[in-house]
Amino acid sequence: MVNLDIKIREADLADLELIVDFISQKSDFDGSKNLLAATVDKLLQTLFCQPPLARVLLGEVAGKAVGFAMFHSSYSSLLAQPCLWLDDLFVQAPMRGIGVGTALLKYLAQIAESTHCGRIEWTVNTGNAPGIAFYQKQGARILENIRVCRIDGNAINLLAGK
């Protein structure tokens, strides 16, 4: 394998269109293009507000962004510690398997370590066997006894009594 120079950096304002493009590519990969509502304006208001609601890492090879990770802070009452929630990890298909995803996760682990996080968590589609294998190779445990619960859209309004 060729030794590539993979660089990880935090996204900035100039990367907004690139971030929207990566989110769109990931929604295609996940089969959820119909749920895509991210826009440059929405991301500007949420990623670059104070404090930011989420942060984005970009993985670059030869100066070109080929993958991203979006994450935000969470908290564990059991650990009484902050945690990180990895909302998205995506590497473009031609660049998979060369270390970009691993580099993004390592950088995220360094952030978690430096901010005294008790864990990093995320979801993975049960049909994404390559993703599951990749995460397990990185040391992740796939928790079979936990299910994602979601209230969104109109259900939020109904529950809130509106």
Side-chain angles (χ1 to χ4, degrees):
M1 179 190 289
V2 177
N3 188 12
L4 295 174
D5 185 23
I6 300 170
K7 292 201 181 332
I8 307 300
R9 67 173 178 87
E10 293 238 13
D12 59 34
L13 276 169
D15 298 310
L16 278 169
E17 288 188 25
L18 176 64
I19 296 167
V20 170
D21 186 50
F22 274 132
I23 293 169
S24 178
Q25 290 177 55
K26 184 171 187 306
S27 72
D28 274 343
F29 177 82
D30 290 341
S32 57
K33 190 73 167 181
N34 61 319
L35 300 175
L36 181 63
T39 65
V40 167
D41 288 338
K42 284 183 175 183
L43 292 176
L44 176 63
Q45 294 172 25
T46 55
L47 296 180
F48 297 99
C49 58
Q50 288 305 320
L53 300 179
R55 293 164 60 189
V56 176
L57 302 175
L58 296 173
E60 298 178 333
V61 175
K64 182 180 186 307
V66 298
F68 84 114
M70 182 178 288
F71 65 99
H72 59 84
S73 297
S74 63
Y75 188 81
S76 168
S77 59
L78 293 174
L79 298 176
Q81 280 183 271
C83 301
L84 292 180
W85 181 265
L86 176 61
D87 196 56
D88 288 321
L89 177 68
F90 178 79
V91 176
Q92 294 172 325
M95 302 307 287
R96 292 183 191 142
I98 63 168
V100 177
T102 299
L104 284 162
L105 279 179
K106 283 184 178 183
Y107 197 97
L108 189 61
Q110 292 167 359
I111 292 170
E113 184 179 59
S114 71
T115 55
H116 309 289
C117 289
R119 60 183 173 219
I120 303 169
E121 292 183 303
W122 63 93
T123 60
V124 60
N125 189 305
T126 57
N128 184 358
I132 292 169
F134 168 74
Y135 293 136
Q136 288 174 321
K137 184 178 175 186
Q138 306 310 314
R141 292 179 295 121
I142 308 300
L143 306 176
E144 301 293 336
N145 62 330
I146 295 176
R147 299 286 186 252
V148 174
C149 299
R150 178 179 294 163
I151 298 174
D152 57 9
N154 204 31
I156 292 173
N157 294 334
L158 290 171
L159 188 59
K162 304 235 174 172

